[in-house]
Amino acid sequence: MAIYKRLSKTIDSMRIEEASKGIAPREIVLFDVCSGKGNLTTLLSFMFPLLKIFMVDKDKKMNIEHISKLPNVRMEYMDIYQKKFVEFVQRETAGKVGIFFGSHLCGDLSEIVVDTFNVVPTLEALILAPCCLSKRKRQIADTAARLRIDNYQYWTTHLYHMVDFKCRRNIEADENVYSTKNNYIVAVKSISPVPIVSTTASSSSHG
């Protein structure tokens, strides 16, 4: 399962950096943006039982009774175009570390996810599988045609360059997906070192 491998690799990378910079492991919060009914979320909840997972979608008509059986998953009905989405992410990642995950997000939704990832410091990783190019993005489509590049490949490259350049980032193709829309953009922010305070040392200093 491609997302499992990428999420595992991303979490391992973050844990290694935490240890190298003297940072105690922090709670990880995963956001499945535009999750739909949460088919992937359900699988990930079993694969990563220690993660707190939020499904985010604005469709309140979906049947998501199965989510009530998953102790580490919560549904949030929300339009990601609204300001309160950023506020929600900031609130839920305070003192923690957030990971954004978006699977086959159409059009502008991918740009919103990247923009939110860039502006929220506590969002430290992004795993995005973009889908189709928005019809409103005529300039991008025209540029791709002029350069004789596939629309989707150019769209993925555009999103990649939207990600903060200070991140470790790359584009990975999932060869197990038969569709030509099989790219993942993976990005991880560098974290600032915060020394771990030893409780033993702290106690002795007050003794």
Side-chain angles (χ1 to χ4, degrees), residues 1-8 127 172 174 176-177 184:
M1 185 179 179
I3 180 57
Y4 171 77
K5 292 179 180 178
R6 285 174 174 82
L7 186 54
S8 294
I127 302 173
E172 304 171 2
D174 185 354
N176 294 315
V177 174
Y184 277 92

Side-chain angles (χ1 to χ4, degrees), residues 35-143:
S35 62
K37 294 183 178 180
N39 294 330
L40 275 175
T41 301
T42 301
L43 292 173
L44 293 175
S45 71
F46 288 103
M47 294 173 172
F48 300 94
L50 298 181
L51 291 190
K52 183 176 184 179
I53 305 176
F54 285 103
M55 290 169 50
V56 181
D57 204 289
K58 68 176 184 178
D59 186 355
K60 296 183 178 180
K61 296 180 180 180
M62 296 182 295
N63 181 354
I64 55 167
E65 290 182 15
H66 55 289
I67 298 303
S68 64
K69 306 297 183 182
L70 306 175
N72 59 331
V73 177
R74 198 173 97 194
M75 180 73 196
E76 286 290 331
Y77 292 106
M78 195 169 297
D79 184 345
I80 70 171
Y81 285 93
Q82 296 182 356
K83 182 181 177 181
K84 66 178 184 178
F85 172 60
V86 176
E87 295 171 345
F88 159 71
V89 173
Q90 290 173 325
R91 183 173 63 252
E92 294 299 336
T93 55
K96 304 170 186 175
V97 53
I99 298 177
F100 254 13
F101 166 62
S103 177
H104 298 287
L105 300 191
C106 292
D108 298 340
L109 295 175
S110 290
E111 288 188 321
I112 293 295
V113 165
V114 173
D115 283 339
T116 306
F117 171 72
N118 286 339
V119 301
V120 179
T122 45
L123 282 174
E124 295 187 11
L126 167 70
I127 302 173
L128 173 64
C131 192
C132 54
L133 175 65
S134 170
K135 293 181 179 178
R136 294 191 294 271
K137 303 291 184 182
R138 285 307 317 166
Q139 184 177 357
I140 291 178
D142 291 344
T143 302

